Amino acid sequence: AQSVTQLGSHVSVSEGALVLLRCNYSSSVPPYLFWYVQYPNQGLQLLLKYTSAATLVKGINGFEAEFKKSETSFHLTKPSAHMSDAAEYFCAVSQGAQKLVFGQGTRLTINP
Amino acid sequence: GAGVSQSPSNKVTEKGKDVELRCDPISGHTALYWYRQSLGQGLEFLIYFQGNSAPDKSGLPSDRFSAERTGGSVSTLTIQRTQQEDSAVYLCASSPWTGPTGELFFGEGSRLTVL
């Protein structure tokens, strides 16, 4: 069965610094991978997804992620953090055709 | 256009009581999902509905949990004889796609507290 592991339940960066949120997956088949973001008191929103086309995927709000098969990773990055990026971020893998398996989430804090 | 709507947004109940949580998906979305979000546990899949097909109930944690979807639209998640460990945020999502790469659209969730 597919699964994802997010390294670090809490990441704190300064405004303007690089954001790096780590996700490793386990899958016996080529995976479909996703990053979702959850702002306080809101539902989850899709940031970006990997569907076996380009390995570097660009998403909304300046985020991007790179699929690395050799490292079984799909880390999320943003070159320069903004205060509005403070949220919880979830990595997910598609398990079969109908459901996503989510990681435990990483809470991102931005320091002014 | 309206997004996924969930009610109630907050529910406090006593141990042993039954609760019903409601989800109104985006109009026209054939797929509907329920997830449970517990503190520090990420999102746990509960159940999936797709059109008129039999639901995938593989994530329901016990027989106290059940869900139905009427007319291919509104869904109700029922928890019988609630326990304290049922306290969590219950998230509903819908999608217009049937394949593995489709985006899920989430509601804001129903926060359940069992005293």
Side-chain angles (χ1 to χ4, degrees), chain B residues 16-93:
Chain B
K17 300 285 189 181
D18 297 352
V19 296
E20 287 189 348
L21 307 176
R22 176 188 169 102
C23 173
D24 279 283
I26 294 172
S27 178
H29 283 196
T30 57
L32 187 146
Y33 307 75
W34 283 98
Y35 283 84
R36 179 167 68 176
Q37 184 176 20
S38 304
L39 191 63
Q41 298 296 315
L43 275 74
E44 174 189 13
F45 168 79
L46 297 178
I47 189 169
Y48 160 74
F49 296 89
Q50 176 58 263
N52 296 321
S53 302
D56 177 352
K57 304 180 181 180
S58 60
L60 295 178
S62 77
D63 58 8
R64 296 186 296 104
F65 288 73
S66 63
E68 63 177 18
R69 188 179 185 191
T70 55
S73 181
V74 171
S75 177
T76 301
L77 177 68
T78 301
I79 309 173
Q80 296 179 310
R81 305 180 302 281
T82 52
Q83 303 294 312
Q84 288 184 332
E85 60 263 28
D86 299 334
S87 296
V89 176
Y90 290 82
L91 293 169
C92 177

Side-chain angles (χ1 to χ4, degrees), chain A residues 31-112:
Chain A
Y32 299 117
L33 295 160
F34 305 77
W35 277 99
Y36 279 79
V37 60
Q38 185 179 32
Y39 298 103
N41 299 315
Q42 296 187 25
L44 278 73
Q45 175 184 358
L46 181 67
L47 265 181
L48 49 79
K49 63 182 178 181
Y50 168 74
T51 59
S52 74
T55 57
L56 181 62
V57 181
K58 294 187 182 297
I60 61 173
N61 301 336
F63 283 93
E64 63 182 35
E66 186 171 8
F67 174 73
K68 291 187 176 180
K69 184 177 179 180
S70 61
E71 299 178 6
T72 61
S73 69
F74 190 56
H75 301 333
L76 181 70
T77 60
K78 181 174 181 178
S80 178
H82 191 273
M83 296 298 292
S84 61
D85 295 327
E88 187 147 18
Y89 292 79
F90 293 91
C91 182
V93 62
S94 181
Q95 182 170 328
Q98 289 88 26
K99 62 193 181 192
L100 295 182
V101 176
F102 287 86
Q104 293 187 333
T106 298
R107 183 167 298 279
L108 177 64
T109 301
I110 311 298
N111 301 313

